[in-house]
């Protein structure tokens, strides 16, 4: 909230100034637990005068239009307006509005109260007697004082004259709540920062973070230990203190029997403390670091002792959870998953586990995993959700399951999959490496996506409450980064068919869908559906195509982040049946390399020219020139360049098609590159729109053959340039 509030304050104030014509050189916002500050540099003392010409209605327009124009321009009569003549439309009224530049101090006094009153705190409160009144001020905590000054560096700044709910802006603030609670008078920002520093307040959150991190490292080093760094915790702790003081506490070494992750979660979540490692080792030390907001007279002994008591109690709880959980097999916990609702329309976690296990077993051979191990891992993957430890620390899901599985003798790949099937959980997280983990991870994410698509709960705009974009990206990264081949269309089609059968009434057409019913359907990422004998199941087919289109959009985002051109991605996706994402990526890579050569650039220009000619002539003639060119007509009446292009097309198309079939996309590009010279010669020497209708039609068919040859690898018409 502090970081967000600082940025909100900066944006609201600077936007309001710019809207009024006041430009500035720079602005920076700051936050501590007790204060929010903004410094804007380079504002002028007075705004510039404004002259605006506002055009009104035509002379002779209805009175209502005239009166509206006068009100909007701030005029009292038409005598204050002039007229202008438009050669085409006649005479119009014109108002010339001139506004003198306003004093910056007055503008600040106008905008600051509005911003304070409407500040977008995610949580806020009212307080005191005034809180009962309508429109009472709401703030994140009771507002105590406002400091607001403005002026040039060479003069004494003035107080911005305003007040909010009886709190007048002034020059008085206070230092640290306990170490320096006296009032401090400040006039300039430099005075403010220095005065607060003397009063035991570090204004800049990044500087507080730096102090905490360096002091923590130094204190750990002095005791022969290493700090386990935690950026999220560091950010949080820096927002809890104004004068950070790092202290070290300890706990009983017997607690180290608890998994290190559980110790860290306990100390982090409950006490906001950092854990320590033994120097040069991954093993935790029985010590922790806390950050106090006080310089205590006893050197922090009482503060440390208090934290040690709480940590001891929390670790005792964690030890109890650990010992209790170890005594119960994961498999014996599965029945409890039937009592946990995953989603009201998608059933319980127990039902979901059965679906994931079946899908993981099906996917296993496709990712070189053992089907039995994949099914076993999927069955146990969610069991730790009902353990005591995960119930207390949900962030340990998966990790605790892996430890419990290892303790009960499960194979290493099964134990690893229980933890890794959640991965990747973000763009910087790694993807699973073990084949069993990959099978379960893919099954988990695909079941989630198919399920929510089946009940029409898809992401909308920026809202994605079920993290479906993250799930799709996880599937994409797993396939691409592990070089895995999957036909997503076939897989999700079967899952949708199963979901439709599961949710349909017994005996209905949908309820009788077999898992293989959609296996022969062809799906186009653009959303075009081509089915063979599946008209009765068009709703399911539409869902499949819609989900594949979602994967396509996520893949575009992923590839753009990797530096791929968006138009090349569109050109590949324009071809039907692109549901093998690894092959899509390889096509895009090969296409990008080809278009980086002179042959590629020139061929692209030729294909675009051919496509434009075809589009114009087909629209004019009301027909498509998609028949194969007549070789006899080319031989009898064609020019040498036309004959050369026809021969080159026959060879290049065959070679490119064979290369694509062999998944040699670079070879397909090399085959197409041989078209560059004959295409250039054709457009240089041959007139497409010949006088003879048969020759003209045949040449247009030849251009269509050129377009078709390049569509073996991509739709060149979608490529820019």
């Amino acid at each position: 909230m502090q970081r967000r509030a600082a940025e909100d304050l900066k944006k609201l104030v600077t936007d309001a100034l710019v809207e009024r014509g006041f430009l500035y050189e720079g602005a920076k916002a700051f936050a501590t637990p007790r204060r929010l500050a903004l410094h804007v540099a380079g504002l002028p003392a007075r705004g510039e005068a404004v002259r605006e010409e506002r055009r009104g209605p035509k002379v002779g327009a209805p009175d209502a239009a005239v009166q509206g124009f006068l009100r909007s321009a701030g005029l009292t009569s038409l005598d204050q307006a002039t007229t202008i003549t438009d050669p085409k439309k006649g005479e119009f009224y014109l108002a010339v509005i001139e506004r003198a530049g306003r004093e910056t101090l007055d503008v600040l006094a106008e905008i600051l109260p509005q911003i304070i009153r409407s500040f977008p705190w995610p949580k806020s409160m009212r307080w005191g007697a005034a809180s009962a009144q309508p429109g009472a001020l709401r703030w994140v905590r009771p507002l105590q004082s406002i400091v607001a000054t403005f002026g040039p560096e060479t003069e004494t700044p003035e107080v911005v004259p305003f007040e909010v709910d009886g709190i007048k802006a002034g020059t008085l603030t206070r230092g640290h709540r306990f170490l320096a609670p006296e009032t401090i008078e400040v006039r300039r920002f430099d005075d403010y920062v220095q005065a607060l520093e003397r009063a035991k307040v570090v204004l800049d959150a990044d500087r507080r973070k730096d102090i905490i991190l360096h002091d923590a490292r130094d204190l750990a080093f002095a005791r022969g230990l290493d700090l386990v760094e935690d950026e999220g915790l560091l950010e949080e702790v820096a927002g809890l203190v104004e004068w950070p003081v790092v202290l070290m506490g300890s706990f009983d070494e017997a607690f180290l029997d608890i998994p290190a992750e559980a110790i860290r979660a306990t100390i982090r979540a409950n006490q906001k403390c950092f854990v320590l490692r033994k120097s040069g080792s991954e093993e935790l030390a029985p010590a922790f670091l806390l950050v106090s907001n006080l310089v205590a007279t006893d050197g922090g002994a009482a503060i440390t002792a208090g934290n040690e008591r709480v940590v001891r109690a929390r670790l005792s709880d964690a030890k109890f959870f650990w010992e209790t959980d170890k005594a119960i097999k994961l498999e014996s916990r599965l029945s409890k998953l039937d009592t946990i609702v995953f989603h009201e329309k998608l059933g319980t976690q127990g039902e979901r586990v059965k679906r994931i296990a079946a899908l993981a077993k099906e996917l296993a051979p496709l990712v070189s995993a053992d089907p039995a191990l994949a099914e076993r891992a999927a069955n146990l993957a969610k069991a730790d959700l009902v353990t005591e430890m995960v119930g207390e620390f949900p962030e340990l899901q998966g990790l605790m399951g892996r430890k419990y599985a290892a303790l009960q003798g499960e194979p290493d790949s099964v134990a690893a999959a229980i933890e890794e099937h959640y991965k990747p959980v973000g763009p910087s997280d790694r993807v699973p490496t073990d084949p069993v983990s990959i099978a379960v991870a893919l099954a988990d994410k695909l079941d989630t996506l198919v399920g929510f698509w089946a009940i029409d709960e898809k992401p909308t705009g920026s809202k994605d409450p079920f993290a479906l974009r993250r799930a799709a990206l996880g599937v994409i990264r797993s396939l691409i980064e592990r070089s895995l081949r999957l036909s997503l269309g076939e897989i999700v089609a079967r899952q949708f068919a199963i979901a439709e059968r599961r949710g349909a009434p017994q005996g209905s057409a949908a309820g009788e869908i077999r898992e293989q019913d959609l296996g022969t359907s062809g799906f186009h990422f653009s959303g075009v559906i081509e089915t063979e004998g599946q008209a009765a199941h068009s709703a399911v087919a539409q869902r499949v195509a819609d989900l594949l289109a979602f994967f396509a959009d996520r893949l575009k985002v992923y590839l753009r982040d990797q530096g791929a051109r968006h138009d090349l991605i569109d050109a590949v996706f324009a071809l039907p049946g692109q549901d093998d994402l690894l092959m899509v990526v390889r096509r895009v890579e090969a296409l990008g390399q080809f278009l980086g050569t002179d042959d590629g650039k020139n061929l692209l220009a030729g294909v675009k020219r051919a496509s434009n000619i075809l589009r114009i002539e087909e629209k004019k003639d009301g027909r498509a020139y998609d028949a194969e060119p007549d070789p006899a007509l080319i031989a009898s009446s064609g020019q040498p360049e036309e004959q050369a292009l026809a021969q080159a097309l026959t060879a290049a198309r065959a070679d490119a098609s064979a290369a694509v079939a062999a998944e040699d996309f670079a070879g397909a590009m090399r085959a197409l590159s041989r078209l560059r010279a004959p295409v250039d010669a054709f457009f240089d020497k041959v007139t497409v729109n010949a006088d003879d209708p048969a020759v003209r039609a045949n040449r247009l068919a030849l251009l269509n053959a050129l377009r078709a040859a390049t569509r073996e690898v991509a739709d060149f018409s979608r490529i820019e340039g």
Side-chain angles (χ1 to χ4, degrees), residues 41 65 78 96 117 123 153 182 209 229 241 250 265 323 342 345 353 378 398 451 505 537 592 628 656 659 707-708:
L78 287 175
V96 179
R117 286 188 174 282
K123 296 180 181 180
E153 294 183 1
E182 300 81 12
K209 285 176 63 175
E229 297 188 13
V241 298
S250 62
E323 298 296 341
F342 172 67
K345 295 181 181 179
V353 163
H537 309 306
E628 289 295 323
R707 182 171 61 182

Side-chain angles (χ1 to χ4, degrees), residues 635-651:
S636 63
S637 61
Q639 297 175 223
E641 293 79 11
E642 183 178 357
Q643 296 167 356
L645 177 58
Q647 293 171 0
L649 274 174
T650 301

Side-chain angles (χ1 to χ4, degrees), residues 219 223 245-251 271 273 288-292 296 298-312:
L219 186 54
R223 304 290 178 87
V245 178
V246 180
L247 303 170
M248 181 178 289
S250 62
F251 56 85
Q271 288 304 102
C273 294
F288 61 92
L289 294 178
L290 63 105
V291 182
S292 169
D298 64 355
I303 295 172
T304 301
N307 277 268
E308 287 175 340
R309 283 195 299 273
V310 177
V311 166
R312 188 183 312 118

